[in-house]
Structure formats: C-alpha cells, structure tokens
Amino acid sequence: MTWAYRSPGWLPGGNLQTIYAAKLATAQSLPDAAWQRERWPTPDGDFVDVDWVNRDLTGPRPLLVLFHGLEGSSSSHYSQSFAAQAKQRGWRMALPHFRGCSGEINLAPRAYHSGDFQEIDWMLQQCQQLHQGPLLAAGISLGGNALLRWAGEAGHAAHHMIQGAASVCAPLDLTASGQAMGQGFNRWVYTRMFLQTMKPRALEKLVQYPSLFDRDALLAAHTLYAFDNVFTAPLHGFKDTDDYWLRASAKPVLADIRVPALVLNARNDPFVPAWCLPRANEVSNCVTLWQPQTGGHVGFPAGPFPAHVDAMPCAVLDWLQTTLP
C-alpha cells in the first residue's frame, strides 16, 4: 500500500504547506466534550494527562495511541484530525500528553524529549492494561521519533504491545534537523515560535527547583541547540546537546524494528532535510517508507481552497488498519 500525495497547485513550497496546515487549513475538529481526560500517576511521583476519544466504547475494537509533537497537545490540528478519523471508524483513541504539555506544569524535575522511549514504553503499557483489543500507535514529529526509537529498542518484544506503528514527519536524525532549525527562516520563524512556549515552561520548573539550571543561560538561548544544552539535555541524563541529539535519534535503530512500521516524511519538510531521510537499505523489512515530494512539516493540505488536513491522517490510519489481525 502506498499514498500518492500531491500538494495543491496553489500552495507551493514546504514552508507554505507547513504554515497553512497549522494555521489556516480546516480540520475535522471535535467539540471539547468529545475529549475525556484521565490522569495517570507515574512511577516517579509525577503525572501524565491522557485525552480520550470513544473512551467508553467496549468490545474488541482497535485503540489508537497518538504521541504528539514538540509543544503539541490534543488541541493541535493533527490531533484533532486523527481523533475525528478514529471516531468515524469506531476506534478508541488515547493521546497521552508528554510532561508539562497538558496545560498544567508537571511535578518532577524533568520535562520530555525526542528519544524518551522509556516513557513511550510506560504509556503503552498503561494503554494495554486499559484496553482489551488490538493496540496501534502513531507519533507526530518529536512523538514519531520517540515511538520509532522505542520500536527499535523493543525489537521483537514490540509485537507483545502493538500491532503496528506509524511516524509522521519525525526528525529521525536530530542533528540534521537541529542544524536546519538553527538557520535562516527556520530560526527566525519556527524556532522563535517554539521558544516562546518552551522558555516559560522551563522557567516554571526553575520555580519548583531553583538550582535546576542556569536561568541567564536559558534566557540567552535563541536556538534549539542552545535551549537543549541548558535544559533538555542535562535534565534527562545527556552530557550536552550533541550527545542528546546523537543518542536520541531513531534513524540508527530503524534496522532493528520488528513490528510493522510506517515512516512518512515529506521531502520538502523545512524541519527535516531530505538528504538525511532513511533509505530502503537502512531500515528493516518491517518498515515501510513513504516519502512524497511535497507536504511540508505535518502539513499535507489537500483539496481546493480552503484546503483541509484530513487526507494524511486518513491515509495513515488506512495503513495501520492493514496491520490488524
């Protein structure tokens, strides 16, 4: 199965396709009441907030677990569209928020990061305990990298947890993506946007733990590299940004994946340079690569003006459905 995506002719270029999808395109949004929130206590005394769709449905129907991207949540345009697609199919869906992303600051002296496969494993275990039917997992951008990192680490054991996995626009080579985000338009637009929320959240952690990191160094950070050097890397056990980006990248473990996995990346994604995308000889036989020429970063707008962003989630769920027994 393949997906022959083509971007609308009136919306050229990866940046336009990225920004339009996130800010202007129509999605099958859900009313607030459609999400049901549940709080899970974590083993380290913290909590994770999980938003559900079709939470109360019973029977052997699939459960889709969606892992959001950097600074994402259940309000993100892709989350809304995946939820709508799952609801239409009669699937249950769970969106576990990474630490601090649910609208309430978390408690532990940590946040979240691109390679946190241990957190993915714990979240999937909770879902497995709460659901009797087949489990499917999808990850967007950062969440996709973390999910594939988990799948590679788990190897054959992943079969005991999920039927299939899908990543969308994951930065599989974090060094390549990090360098791209630190230059030109990416730095002045996307990086600035991310840091507008990342810095305040980090400063909230400093109120909880006054000696956690250097406040002045954080305020002086104007790139993701600098931010990760001060905050993300040391809080999560990495020596520095270079060590974090190297060890957290999923690309080196794609050959170790032993569960059906879809890896979708647009070749004009401004966050993920096309030259660093995996080739067929770098992944296991369980991995399917979709690399359309266009789509941007978690964009993939479709249709005449005004475009919608439902085509990609629909294609991804169609693929995941082929992994079901």
Side-chain angles (χ1 to χ4, degrees):
M1 177 183 176
T2 59
W3 181 40
Y5 172 78
R6 289 187 179 182
S7 59
W10 55 270
L11 196 59
N15 285 312
L16 284 179
Q17 290 156 19
T18 300
I19 295 169
Y20 187 90
K23 302 296 184 182
L24 299 172
T26 59
Q28 295 183 13
S29 59
L30 297 173
D32 290 340
W35 293 106
Q36 294 176 276
R37 177 156 292 190
E38 182 176 54
R39 177 161 291 187
W40 295 344
T42 64
D44 60 350
D46 207 344
F47 66 87
V48 164
D49 285 330
V50 186
D51 283 352
W52 290 84
V53 170
N54 286 342
R55 175 70 174 86
D56 299 326
L57 291 182
T58 58
R61 63 189 73 242
L63 168 61
L64 172 68
V65 186
L66 184 69
F67 299 102
H68 63 78
L70 181 65
E71 297 298 274
S73 70
S74 60
S75 297
S76 299
H77 70 281
Y78 53 80
S79 303
Q80 294 281 330
S81 194
F82 267 95
Q85 291 291 330
K87 190 174 181 64
Q88 285 184 7
R89 294 165 191 250
W91 294 6
R92 303 172 81 196
M93 176 175 146
L95 190 148
H97 290 86
F98 292 122
R99 310 279 184 113
C101 290
S102 64
E104 183 175 339
I105 187 171
N106 64 306
L107 304 176
R110 58 154 297 170
Y112 65 103
H113 66 88
S114 298
D116 200 354
F117 62 90
Q118 296 98 335
E119 188 90 324
I120 296 290
D121 186 70
W122 180 81
M123 290 173 169
L124 288 174
Q125 286 185 41
Q126 307 315 300
C127 290
Q128 190 177 46
Q129 293 173 12
L130 294 169
H131 180 73
Q132 298 304 312
L135 218 64
L136 301 167
I140 310 299
S141 194
L142 174 149
N145 183 82
L147 174 62
L148 294 179
R149 190 79 175 78
W150 168 82
E153 291 287 340
H156 290 287
H159 274 293
H160 300 298
M161 196 89 72
I162 63 172
Q163 297 293 320
S167 75
V168 178
C169 297
L172 305 170
D173 182 334
L174 289 167
T175 301
S177 290
Q179 290 173 349
M181 291 295 287
Q183 300 173 7
F185 185 85
N186 285 353
R187 175 174 177 175
W188 295 112
V189 177
Y190 303 122
T191 295
R192 182 176 294 183
M193 175 193 69
F194 284 130
L195 291 178
Q196 282 177 348
T197 56
M198 292 167 68
K199 283 186 176 182
R201 285 184 185 178
L203 292 173
E204 287 185 297
K205 300 306 296 179
L206 199 61
V207 173
Q208 290 177 314
Y209 301 93
S211 61
L212 197 59
F213 58 85
D214 186 328
R215 182 178 185 274
D216 291 338
L218 182 103
L219 293 175
H222 296 297
T223 63
L224 295 180
Y225 184 96
F227 179 91
D228 286 345
N229 224 28
V230 176
F231 184 80
T232 313
L235 261 66
H236 301 104
F238 300 98
K239 179 181 177 181
D240 53 24
T241 297
D242 292 323
D243 182 48
Y244 163 41
W245 287 356
L246 179 66
R247 291 169 53 198
S249 294
K251 188 177 180 181
V253 302
L254 295 181
D256 300 323
I257 292 177
R258 297 294 181 267
V259 67
L262 171 66
V263 181
L264 168 59
N265 292 91
R267 299 189 68 83
N268 70 344
D269 186 335
F271 296 14
V272 185
W275 63 262
C276 74
L277 294 179
R279 297 183 293 270
N281 64 351
E282 296 176 303
V283 305
S284 78
N285 292 334
C286 295
V287 175
T288 298
L289 299 176
W290 284 358
Q291 295 178 358
Q293 292 298 317
T294 59
H297 187 74
V298 200
F300 305 103
F305 183 87
H308 63 83
V309 290
D310 303 316
M312 179 272 289
C314 184
V316 170
L317 295 194
D318 283 348
W319 186 91
L320 283 171
Q321 192 155 1
T322 67
T323 71
L324 294 174

